[in-house]
Amino acid sequence: MASTFKLVFAVLLLQLLDFCRGGKVGVDYGMDANNLPSPDQVSDLVKKHNIQYLRIYDSDPKVLKSLSNTDNELIVGVHNDDLSKFQFQSYVDSWVKNSILPYYPATKITDISVGVEVTDSPDAANLAVPAMRNVVSALKKVGLQDRIKVSTPLSFGVLSKSYPPSDGAFDGSHDNVLGPLLDFLEENQSPFMVNLYPFYAIGDSSLDAVLFKSPSSIFVDPNTGFSYKNIFDAQLDAVHFALAKRKSRSIPIIVTETGWPTRGSGRHRLAMASLDNDDDSYASIDNAQTYNTNLIRHVTDGSGTPARPDEELVVYIFSLFNENLKQGPETERNFGLFYPDMTSVYNLVFPGKGTGRSWCVASRQASNSALQNALDWACGPGKADCSALQPDQQCFEPNNLVSHASFAFNNYYQKNGLTDQACRFGGTGIVVYNDPSYGNCIYNVKSRDPNGRTWCVATSQASRSNLQNALDWACGPGKADCSEIQPNQRCFQPDTLLAHASFAFNNYYQKNGATDASCSFRGNAIKVDRDPSYGNCIYH
């Protein structure tokens, strides 16, 4: 037994994921309500609060469209009630064609979660993995299987044992689901998705341990010697160890739900039978703010967990809004960060894009004469690319001095090292940390690509007629090489106007100096710094 444990423990330590330090914090976009703001309003809200990662529980086209050409990364969902339809490949092919392809890649769909906590639903349990295989098959047909990953979120209840974390093990009664699921995840290099709610462990632990407030260790795992200061890490490592005992290869984990209710009474459906605490007494705004604030700090500080100190944590907070139609006890309806009128339930600061990005814009306190002189210098001797500010170009409107100066200042700032000095402009420029881009006017930033590359793609905000005209020009007078988007060629699929225009626009852009002007196409294109290549279709 001891040798078996040592082998499992060695696997867990040696096969760490190749992730960067510093984690990602997203939010679940719960929509079980009849009083929520429009998707366009929500898109503005998440941008305002620097929320980059979102998860939705369906594939609402209005939501997908509202998040196009933003920096948001999105997990799209499939309801348990739809799993029976997903047993048929023809249906899933049609779903991918109609619900994913019209929006991707303008909307950054990264994952598809098929079902929710299916092990808690006998009707859904045996349908999930066959449905997931059909989704992957449909994605393969359009070359997106490596760009969009497929998984299913499970509850923490799939573990039969979680203390100490090194004894973490899956409940054997779920083997009919877990066996095929883990095989699928390993085959497709997909993440294991799990919902963790330390809130419901208060009966077994102190409130401080659950709220990330313990000043010292709350326990030491006797098998590993790892010291734990909070329950979240203990639960997550229990899942890590359970996975390691079942699979020789490490599987990444996404915590698809965690959170804290601000009010309510009654027990949650996930509460373990062993708990006898009155959990509603802990449901408060103060505790919710403390938990989520400390969670964000923990995820983003790059410390990982005791068993996985070098692994990036990926966590989604439940949920964006309070949901007045949610079934169950009152706590279920009060996990939201915002009220339906978009006012904050409590203040929570998100880390933004997590890249340390900054922009330079014009100060509204500067005089018109000082701004004009600075703008003239930036677009002249400063050699900023101001072509997008010309009439009929994407950043001409609003046609005012502050807006034009802001765009020019930022272009110069990005090209000259992002230093404070590069944003001086005689005291008329200021550095900001929220993206000032709007509509099709993109305030370029220093590329996140390790080689500093940028690409040009079509914007989904453009009309079909404008996109078609721009595509015809690029492949005709523009002399872009469009041979790869012909039938049976590598970039023909997905056979959509948006995808074909993106490939053609980028080809023209790369051949013509990769300048802002060569990615205009009359406002129908935008520059991006993430490689839009997929499958065998390479955006050179």
Side-chain angles (χ1 to χ4, degrees):
M1 187 71 178
S3 61
T4 300
F5 172 77
K6 289 178 181 177
L7 175 61
V8 170
F9 182 49
V11 168
L12 186 63
L13 287 179
L14 294 176
Q15 296 189 336
L16 295 174
L17 294 176
D18 187 22
F19 277 146
C20 60
R21 296 179 66 83
K24 300 176 181 177
V25 182
V27 179
D28 292 296
Y29 185 168
M31 302 173 69
D32 200 355
N34 60 7
N35 56 359
L36 298 182
S38 71
D40 285 340
Q41 290 174 305
V42 174
S43 179
D44 290 339
L45 177 72
V46 299
K47 179 177 180 180
K48 175 182 176 182
H49 289 273
N50 294 326
I51 299 171
Q52 184 184 3
Y53 306 98
L54 287 172
R55 174 186 171 221
I56 60 175
Y57 292 77
D58 56 18
S59 55
D60 187 329
K62 292 181 180 178
V63 174
L64 295 179
K65 186 174 182 180
S66 72
L67 296 172
S68 65
N69 299 318
T70 68
D71 210 30
N72 294 107
E73 296 182 12
L74 184 66
I75 297 177
V76 170
V78 176
H79 288 295
N80 285 358
D81 291 344
D82 293 326
L83 292 180
S84 59
K85 301 175 187 176
F86 274 67
Q87 303 306 296
F88 301 96
Q89 188 65 58
S90 59
Y91 179 87
V92 179
D93 290 348
S94 178
W95 180 80
V96 168
K97 179 180 179 181
N98 297 319
S99 298
I100 303 297
L101 295 187
Y103 310 101
Y104 184 89
T107 299
K108 298 182 178 71
I109 301 170
T110 59
D111 302 84
I112 297 174
S113 60
V114 180
V116 178
E117 297 182 349
V118 294
T119 53
D120 298 339
S121 172
D123 292 337
N126 294 321
L127 301 177
V129 175
M132 293 161 65
R133 290 195 178 280
N134 286 343
V135 173
V136 169
S137 178
L139 292 173
K140 284 181 178 178
K141 293 175 183 178
V142 293
L144 295 179
Q145 74 277 10
D146 295 325
R147 309 284 289 184
I148 301 176
K149 293 300 180 180
V150 179
S151 188
T152 185
L154 302 180
S155 76
F156 189 58
V158 297
L159 268 65
S160 61
K161 190 171 183 181
S162 59
Y163 180 83
S166 59
D167 283 348
F170 289 117
D171 188 334
S173 67
H174 298 309
D175 276 353
N176 63 315
V177 177
L178 286 170
L181 172 62
L182 297 180
D183 287 343
F184 171 89
L185 299 181
E186 191 171 44
E187 291 168 15
N188 293 281
Q189 299 182 352
S190 291
F192 183 88
M193 294 180 170
V194 65
N195 299 336
L196 302 181
Y197 285 92
F199 172 72
Y200 297 107
I202 295 174
D204 294 328
S205 308
S206 71
L207 181 61
D208 281 355
V210 176
L211 292 175
F212 297 89
K213 290 176 62 178
S214 292
S216 58
S217 172
I218 57 175
F219 72 86
V220 175
D221 188 313
N223 297 316
T224 63
F226 292 150
S227 177
Y228 288 85
K229 296 180 65 176
N230 65 78
I231 298 303
F232 179 88
D233 281 354
Q235 290 186 345
L236 185 53
D237 274 350
V239 179
H240 280 305
F241 278 100
L243 283 171
K245 290 168 185 172
R246 295 290 294 265
K247 286 294 173 184
S248 60
R249 177 186 160 279
S250 183
I251 296 176
I253 295 176
I254 295 178
V255 179
T256 38
E257 288 184 23
T258 191
W260 199 286
T262 53
R263 58 175 295 179
S265 60
R267 302 204 181 281
H268 186 277
R269 56 190 166 82
L270 295 179
M272 303 300 290
S274 62
L275 299 187
D276 57 3
N277 62 299
D278 183 15
D279 29 80
D280 58 295
S281 66
Y282 299 105
S284 70
I285 287 178
D286 285 346
N287 284 343
Q289 183 176 26
T290 299
Y291 176 78
N292 284 325
T293 297
N294 289 338
L295 171 73
I296 291 173
R297 182 180 297 117
H298 178 58
V299 170
T300 57
D301 70 7
S303 60
T305 66
R308 295 291 184 93
D310 295 315
E311 182 170 313
E312 177 191 54
L313 300 180
V314 182
V315 177
Y316 287 77
I317 295 174
F318 184 84
S319 70
L320 197 59
F321 295 104
N322 283 333
E323 299 174 283
N324 66 333
L325 299 181
K326 197 77 176 284
Q327 298 298 308
E330 189 180 5
T331 49
E332 289 276 356
R333 294 181 284 280
N334 290 282
F335 274 81
L337 305 180
F338 298 93
Y339 295 110
D341 65 0
M342 297 192 293
T343 58
S344 297
V345 178
Y346 50 88
N347 183 49
L348 193 62
V349 178
F350 282 84
K353 299 178 176 61
T355 58
R357 289 183 159 196
S358 59
W359 293 260
C360 178
V361 298
S363 169
R364 295 182 180 275
Q365 306 302 316
S367 67
N368 284 347
S369 59
L371 269 187
Q372 187 64 63
N373 289 337
L375 174 61
D376 292 342
W377 183 89
C379 295
K383 298 182 179 180
D385 184 349
C386 299
S387 57
L389 299 175
Q390 304 308 307
D392 297 326
Q393 297 302 310
Q394 64 265 39
C395 299
F396 179 71
E397 295 291 350
N399 182 19
N400 62 61
L401 186 56
V402 170
S403 180
H404 285 197
S406 293
F407 183 88
F409 288 3
N410 182 68
N411 189 277
Y412 177 87
Y413 174 72
Q414 302 296 334
K415 289 180 176 180
N416 288 274
L418 291 82
T419 64
D420 289 343
Q421 184 62 34
C423 190
R424 285 290 299 158
F425 297 102
T428 64
I430 56 172
V431 175
V432 297
Y433 299 93
N434 290 326
D435 188 352
S437 303
Y438 57 92
N440 292 331
C441 181
I442 307 302
Y443 277 54
N444 292 321
V445 293
K446 189 174 182 179
S447 176
R448 286 175 289 194
D449 180 81
N451 297 314
R453 297 173 298 176
T454 55
W455 295 261
C456 178
V457 297
T459 170
S460 63
Q461 304 298 322
S463 68
R464 288 188 61 83
S465 60
N466 286 346
L467 266 188
Q468 189 64 61
N469 289 337
L471 173 60
D472 293 342
W473 183 88
C475 295
K479 298 182 179 180
D481 183 352
C482 298
S483 58
E484 296 286 359
I485 55 177
Q486 302 307 308
N488 300 320
Q489 297 303 310
R490 290 181 296 179
C491 300
F492 179 69
Q493 294 290 353
D495 182 16
T496 66
L497 181 58
L498 189 69
H500 288 190
S502 291
F503 183 87
F505 290 178
N506 183 70
N507 189 274
Y508 176 87
Y509 170 72
Q510 303 296 341
K511 288 182 173 180
N512 288 273
T515 65
D516 288 347
S518 61
C519 187
S520 172
F521 295 98
R522 293 186 176 273
N524 296 303
I526 58 171
K527 286 173 64 174
V528 297
D529 59 359
R530 291 186 181 181
D531 188 352
S533 302
Y534 56 92
N536 292 325
C537 181
I538 308 302
Y539 278 54
H540 295 290

